[in-house]
Amino acid sequence: MIKWPQVLALGLILVACPGISGVTFYAFAKSRPNLTSQNEPMNFTLEGKINKMETGKFTVSTEGNIIFHVRYDDKTEIKHQDGSSGSSKDFRVGVQVKVEGDLTESGEIVARKIQIEQETESKPPASR
């Protein structure tokens, strides 16, 4: 079992198989000198493709087939890659996203920011 206070105190940085999968995800722990709770979340960033949708949450699969559950709400900042505003209506299976948030003890990511990178499914060309 992971002892979260020790992980946070060490400032652990996780990098998962960047050479093999082509995907890198990071868990950044903030320095917290007065840490008193084991329930403190850990800053976390990941990139991957949405493969399952539910109201207020979705599942992301990285190219290394690592699955993450992401929860979002009306406080989550949602943007497109070009910087324009997005919304939860832009989320659908097959969309590539970058998520910044907090990794909870249960392993779920509570998103603060979601950037919609691209749709991986091709659209038919527009007729002339």
Side-chain angles (χ1 to χ4, degrees), residues 15 18 28 33 36-37 43 46 59-60 63 78 83-84 92 95 101 105 110:
V15 180
F28 294 104
T36 58
S37 172
N43 289 335
L46 71 93
T59 302
V60 173
E63 288 183 23
I78 302 171
S84 63
R92 59 188 156 275
V95 171
E105 198 169 284
V110 178

Side-chain angles (χ1 to χ4, degrees), residues 27-81:
F28 294 104
K30 289 183 179 178
S31 174
R32 299 181 183 186
N34 296 326
L35 186 62
T36 58
S37 172
Q38 289 187 7
N39 297 325
E40 291 290 326
M42 199 169 31
N43 289 335
F44 199 82
T45 301
L46 71 93
E47 292 184 43
K49 184 176 17 171
I50 297 174
N51 63 5
K52 184 179 178 184
M53 291 288 311
E54 294 180 41
T55 303
K57 62 183 172 180
F58 54 80
T59 302
V60 173
S61 176
T62 66
E63 288 183 23
N65 290 324
I66 301 171
I67 304 295
F68 294 95
H69 301 283
V70 177
R71 193 168 24 125
Y72 61 92
D73 58 24
D74 58 347
K75 295 177 186 172
T76 305
E77 178 184 343
I78 302 171
K79 294 205 179 268
H80 291 275
Q81 192 171 17

